[in-house]
Amino acid sequence: MTTDLEIARAATLRPIAEIAERAGIPLDALEPYGRFKAKIGTDFIRAQAGRPEGALVLVTGISPTPAGEGKTTTTIGLGDALNALGTRTMIALREPSLGPCFGVKGGATGGGRAQVAPMEEINLHFTGDFHAITSANNLLSAMIDNHVYWGNALDLDIRRIAWKRAIDMNDRALRLGTFGLGGVANGFPREDGFDITVASEVMAIFCLARDLDDLRARLGRIIIGQSRDGRAVTAHEVKADGAMAALLRDALMPNLVQTLEGSPALVHGGPFANIAHGCNSVIATRLGLQLADVVVTEAGFGADLGAEKFLDIKCRSAGLAPSACVIVATVRALKMHGGVAKSALGAEDVAAVRRGLSNLERHVENTRKFGLPVVVALNRFTGDTEAEIAAVQEAMVALGTRAILCTHWGDGAAGAEELARAVQGLIAGGTAQFRPLYPDDMPLADKIGTIAREIYHAAEVSIPPALVTRLKRFEEAGFGRAPVCIAKTQYSFSANPALMGAPSGHVLPVREVRLSAGAGFVVAVCGDVMTMPGLPRVPAAEGIGLDAEGRIDGLF
Amino acid sequence: MTTDLEIARAATLRPIAEIAERAGIPLDALEPYGRFKAKIGTDFIRAQAGRPEGALVLVTGISPTPAGEGKTTTTIGLGDALNALGTRTMIALREPSLGPCFGVKGGATGGGRAQVAPMEEINLHFTGDFHAITSANNLLSAMIDNHVYWGNALDLDIRRIAWKRAIDMNDRALRLGTFGLGGVANGFPREDGFDITVASEVMAIFCLARDLDDLRARLGRIIIGQSRDGRAVTAHEVKADGAMAALLRDALMPNLVQTLEGSPALVHGGPFANIAHGCNSVIATRLGLQLADVVVTEAGFGADLGAEKFLDIKCRSAGLAPSACVIVATVRALKMHGGVAKSALGAEDVAAVRRGLSNLERHVENTRKFGLPVVVALNRFTGDTEAEIAAVQEAMVALGTRAILCTHWGDGAAGAEELARAVQGLIAGGTAQFRPLYPDDMPLADKIGTIAREIYHAAEVSIPPALVTRLKRFEEAGFGRAPVCIAKTQYSFSANPALMGAPSGHVLPVREVRLSAGAGFVVAVCGDVMTMPGLPRVPAAEGIGLDAEGRIDGLF
């Protein structure tokens, strides 16, 4: 079989200036990074303010399974297909993280004929945005410890410094350590750890900031920890926000690349979808809407996490109103939701598909609660049988929507043409009436309850009294209007990853609440959330290297 | 007074393609990074192999003092002046490290009218090379701990893992810690620490590698630690070298920028000058020589460290033969070597200048031991008096050379014209007969002794018996032909930073010896060597930020 890397290498890319020009971006607005990547200049972006905006289409998915769904691939395929049909379309994606590239996940640039390119460069350093975010995060850490070292005028309690260091690497050894050892010259020993860069609040801020001024203000609001008398201390108070903004200035310009079929794609930012909101940058999405008739974007994990956060956090904060939502499913993943083991997916099992459809159906119904029309993209795999596909399609018709078979992985734009026509229809229909799930002025605990009830179908939320008090404190401190960002397993509507399908009546246990004051949301941690992955027994890195022509091999 | 940043901003930069074209680099060999920075493609570099090479001129200095000397500024001014005189000249510099930018040092892009630009970008992320080096360093660390976690097939002794993590930040809290805490899932607790990226062996390797293949081979030879039975274990054995090379592939292409007067400058790599050799990359230097009639480059610290390592490590390893050497001095710094405190530098003190000349004289004599003709650049400051200047000039004439007054900081190329003519004369004279200080086949301990005697004028070297044994082991392991890299204070010819001027008869105490097997040298640590700086009480970062136009302010 041809690999994604081979397909990507076989493609002839056009100069990025040509892609930009077709997207309405003039040459002098480009900051090229090599020949096939460019950043889009701040002056040009400012000049687009007030332009009428195109339609926003969100691609989300069923609850993920090890069988894979193909959300990024579908986002790219749909964008290519819309462009092929003559609708001026931009694709807006998240940037891949370096860490998982060396682990098991491989790259995050799509697959088959639905890829953004150049894949090796996008998957590795790209234009350096994540390195800039890592540097800004760690400059703040260095300035915190330096503040304590030189007298601690803010009376920071070193046991209560919440700000962690960051690295764009899967490195479990850095999860927890005692730093500052070695004597007086090295400062005060304290516990700290590293999160992977995508889990840093700087990443979430980067992706929610409207512009440089907003970025700087949000960075300043970051709460780094508490003083000995319990006062929240901010990044502004240790005077780190200016230098952090300087480190991020160039990174904040969105990155333009192309799909293998020549569609323009903005690939910018990439926060975790558990403790953060999991979408590409507001700046990129907005610019896309100002330049194109349609922007196709994606959200992390399944619709219960990704779409909910996209809609309740990103769209609310940025004032975006999507026109339609695509939910990606596969027969294989539905079978897993229906109880089939990954090793048994090869055999036809229509009954299992029918059982697993409960998961898809709930995501469709949930998404409608936001006032959005929905269509399902059924991402076809070779082993899918006609009967299995028919079962999905019938169920979706019964729900008043359609499951459209897509083959963009193998066929490119042509494989998503029917999906594109359906999306065109939803946009033209104008039925979208976007509304967030809960109002700004609902108490924080009730916001968690609303999501748990409406989206997860939980019977109740368990919030320990200490956390109820903490939420009240957040409200008293002026953060009561913030949306909530629920960090829980992506594999289930519940907090138990083993409960596939569409569980109901469960209890959502809130184990921790955190205030991401710079990002502007309150995180409710429900279950174990890993903010620093580890490498597997045989990391992908072992197979990565340079071939005889100096090309990068082993990325997938 | 106009600041460096203001002068830099007032300059009109030319598109980098224009600078490249004048330097003989065609457009299709460029990988642009924004409009004023570009990397030079590997294919073009390969195609230059075998071309006749221009003359190499090294700019080095007296032993540094807090008064400042202006080595980078002189390198740039001399390059500009040579170009102004019609000699096709390339400048080859080190890249600045992000860490010191936020500390006290400020940027490292020259000053006044002798700067490389765009200074904010070069000083911050530039083209991401240091981020790539940091990532490669830390991928190796993650793979080491991951190897131990998954069974430790190589039987690594976790107490003897020598490979440290790296970060491009001044952060004293990271010097020493206990990582891997928190239980079974996080691995085995062990001591580790972070070096600043410029101190990583990956940086030294990057700067000594001839090409990608050599880079990969050197990365594989890195010794990461020992097994329980005392065997040296390499990066190749944990299978990290391929992925590390992939991470470094693009970074290895040299960066082209311009001076404020439009000279082409290759700014590439930047290893520490204590535990490493302190010069820009071999790839950039060689490419410059293939493209230009003259390459002007600099080495770190004073000539005892920087020039010695440039000549004995870099030139030896790369087969480079310099044509001339410029030693930078200032009246102010000579007065400090003559015993004047920094606060008293304002007053004329010819006697102090005469005393301090002992430092300059020894550097001149030392450099001649390598077979190189020498000229002194006397970098003028406004407070210097005629009598002080005359004292320096007379002393240099007495030594058979000249001290040429330079004012490139304020006057640009015109201020270094006389220096440029002198350098032209040295090159045209053809008197250079470059020879390293010691032959490859001298025993390692004798190499240390030779440098101590010939360059530092030490009476003896003190090597504890355990380290003598260790050096013998390195020789038995096949590293006996390696050059030695002495890490000691840059402020004195001795290992005592307080001994200014030209001390003799001292003892050089070797406290530690390390094998940098990938870089290909043996490090002899003589005194305290700091591989992770801290931030000062008021870090420069506090004053760095964005102005109303979104420009970066506070870099100096």
Side-chain angles (χ1 to χ4, degrees), chain B residues 18 185 288 315 350 357 359 527 537:
Chain B
E18 196 181 306
C315 290
V350 177
L357 275 166
N359 186 275
R537 183 181 290 271

Side-chain angles (χ1 to χ4, degrees), chain A residues 28 30-35 98 102 121 124-125 131-132 135 138-139 142-143 145-146 149-150 165 167 169-182 185-186 194 212 239 242-243 245-247 249-250 535-537 539 541-542 544-546 550-552, chain B residues 28 30-35 98 102 121 124-125 131-132 135 138-139 142-143 145-146 149-150 165 167 169-182 185-186 194 212 239 242-243 245-247 249-250 535-537 539 541-542 544-546 550-552:
Chain A
D28 66 6
L30 290 187
E31 299 272 337
Y33 279 67
R35 282 178 249 176
L98 205 51
F102 297 119
E121 294 171 33
L124 295 182
H125 308 292
H131 292 313
S135 296
N138 292 337
L139 175 62
M143 289 180 79
D145 279 312
N146 195 57
Y149 179 85
W150 288 106
R165 289 175 163 88
I167 188 170
M169 193 64 67
N170 287 12
D171 191 349
R172 65 172 69 75
L174 292 179
R175 283 176 191 149
L176 184 66
T178 311
F179 299 173
L181 302 182
N186 297 353
F194 284 70
L212 269 175
K239 300 178 185 158
L247 279 169
R249 184 191 65 164
D250 292 349
L535 292 170
R537 184 181 289 271
E542 292 187 4
I544 293 174
L546 300 171
R551 297 180 308 187
I552 291 170
Chain B
D28 66 5
L30 290 188
E31 298 272 338
Y33 279 67
R35 283 179 245 174
L98 206 49
F102 297 120
E121 295 170 34
L124 295 182
H125 308 292
H131 292 314
S135 296
N138 293 337
L139 176 62
M143 290 180 79
D145 279 312
N146 195 57
Y149 179 84
W150 287 106
R165 288 174 164 87
I167 188 171
M169 192 64 67
N170 287 12
D171 191 348
R172 65 172 69 75
L174 292 178
R175 284 177 190 150
L176 184 65
T178 311
F179 300 174
L181 301 183
N186 297 352
F194 284 70
L212 269 174
K239 300 179 186 156
L247 279 168
R249 184 192 64 164
D250 291 349
L535 291 172
R537 183 181 290 271
E542 292 188 4
I544 294 174
L546 300 171
R551 297 180 307 187
I552 292 170

